[in-house]
């Protein structure tokens, strides 16, 4: 908290984009305390200082996994959204608090695409949690556009989501990526289901 306080004291930011979080679902299932410490306590700390130092706007980068969460990571991000809702409604701060929920951002570190590419390059298997698993995808420019729109349009206590079009089956995506390399799914490159 002291380092965050010092940053706010020195720079007095007008807009805070809070993207810091642990987003690795299986890792947080093994270490749930880290989801509490980093995702929830970190958000609480930064949001409170944004309010104390009169930042105009605070944008939480959340996740589509916060909708009816089935993982520690999704639940931790949902708690963050609810915390911002509480800050917005208690009237202690001038700051407009808002959240932005993302799907899978193509080309980002957390995207399934680079993971599948690495797995295919190493000869497999391509790992998928469940055959019924689906994802929405957005590009990096779409993600940036969504964040900027959320910051500009918010009246406080909002949750923004990009209209991401059609949902994509992860098995279908993996099979396409394997075929694009001239290989056969479950022939040249096995597909392994790891469980949710």
């Amino acid at each position: 908290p002291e380092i965050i306080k010092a940053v706010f004291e020195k720079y007095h930011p007008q807009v805070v984009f809070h993207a810091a979080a642990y987003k690795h679902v299986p890792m947080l299932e093994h270490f749930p305390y880290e989801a509490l410490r980093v995702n929830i306590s970190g958000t609480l700390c930064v949001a409170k200082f944004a309010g104390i130092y009169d930042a105009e706007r605070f944008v939480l980068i959340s996740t589509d996994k916060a909708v009816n969460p089935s993982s520690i990571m999704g639940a931790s991000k949902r708690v963050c959204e609810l915390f911002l809702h509480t800050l917005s409604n208690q009237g202690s701060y001038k700051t407009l608090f808002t959240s932005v929920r993302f799907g899978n951002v193509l080309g980002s570190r957390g995207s399934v695409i680079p993971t599948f590419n690495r797995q295919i390059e190493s000869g497999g298997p391509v790992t998928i949690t469940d055959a019924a698993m689906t994802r929405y995808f957005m590009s990096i420019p779409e993600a940036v556009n969504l964040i900027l729109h959320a910051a500009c349009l918010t009246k406080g206590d909002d949750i923004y989501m990009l209209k991401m079009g059609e949902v994509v089956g992860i098995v279908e995506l993996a099979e396409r990526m394997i075929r694009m390399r001239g290989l056969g799914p479950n022939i040249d490159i096995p597909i392994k289901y790891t469980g949710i």
Side-chain angles (χ1 to χ4, degrees), residues 18-32:
H18 181 60
Y22 285 150
K23 297 177 283 188
H24 193 282
V25 174
M27 189 70 75
L28 293 179
E29 292 298 313
H30 290 293
F31 302 101

Side-chain angles (χ1 to χ4, degrees), residues 163-175:
K163 197 171 191 174
M164 290 183 274
E166 296 300 314
V167 69
V168 176
I170 296 299
V171 173
E172 179 187 345
L173 174 66
E175 289 174 347

Side-chain angles (χ1 to χ4, degrees), residues 26-195:
M27 189 70 75
L28 293 179
E29 292 298 313
H30 290 293
F31 302 101
Y33 174 78
E34 290 302 307
L36 298 173
R37 185 182 69 81
V38 174
N39 294 1
I40 297 172
S41 295
T43 299
L44 193 143
C45 176
V46 177
K48 280 190 172 179
F49 281 121
I52 290 166
Y53 286 90
D54 292 327
E56 284 180 30
R57 295 152 196 273
F58 179 97
V59 181
L60 169 69
I61 311 303
S62 191
T63 173
D64 56 354
K65 290 178 176 65
V67 182
N68 300 320
S70 60
S71 68
I72 298 289
M73 193 280 279
S76 72
K77 295 300 268 185
R78 181 64 182 137
V79 168
C80 294
E81 292 176 355
L82 292 171
F83 177 69
L84 294 187
H85 170 71
T86 301
L87 286 179
S88 293
N89 288 297
Q90 75 183 118
S92 302
Y93 304 119
K94 297 177 192 173
T95 305
L96 299 176
F97 295 98
T98 188
S99 300
V100 178
R101 286 182 181 164
F102 278 5
N104 201 294
V105 180
L106 294 167
S108 71
R109 291 173 85 201
S111 175
V112 71
I113 306 282
T115 301
F116 283 177
N117 276 332
R118 281 191 305 275
Q119 291 174 339
I120 294 166
E121 285 168 10
S122 67
V126 170
T127 56
I128 300 172
T129 52
D130 187 87
M133 195 61 64
T134 58
R135 287 283 182 278
Y136 288 100
F137 289 95
M138 60 171 40
S139 67
I140 290 174
E142 287 172 322
V144 170
N145 190 33
L146 176 59
I147 293 171
L148 294 176
H149 272 85
C152 293
L153 299 175
T154 188
K155 304 259 189 273
D157 197 22
D158 301 309
I159 297 177
Y160 289 90
M161 293 173 279
L162 181 68
K163 197 171 191 174
M164 290 183 274
E166 296 300 314
V167 69
V168 176
I170 296 299
V171 173
E172 179 187 345
L173 174 66
E175 289 174 347
R176 279 187 189 175
M177 290 179 67
I178 293 167
R179 282 192 197 99
M180 284 173 59
R181 300 206 178 185
L183 303 168
N186 287 317
I187 298 166
D188 302 304
I189 304 289
I191 296 175
K192 179 183 173 188
Y193 299 99
T194 60

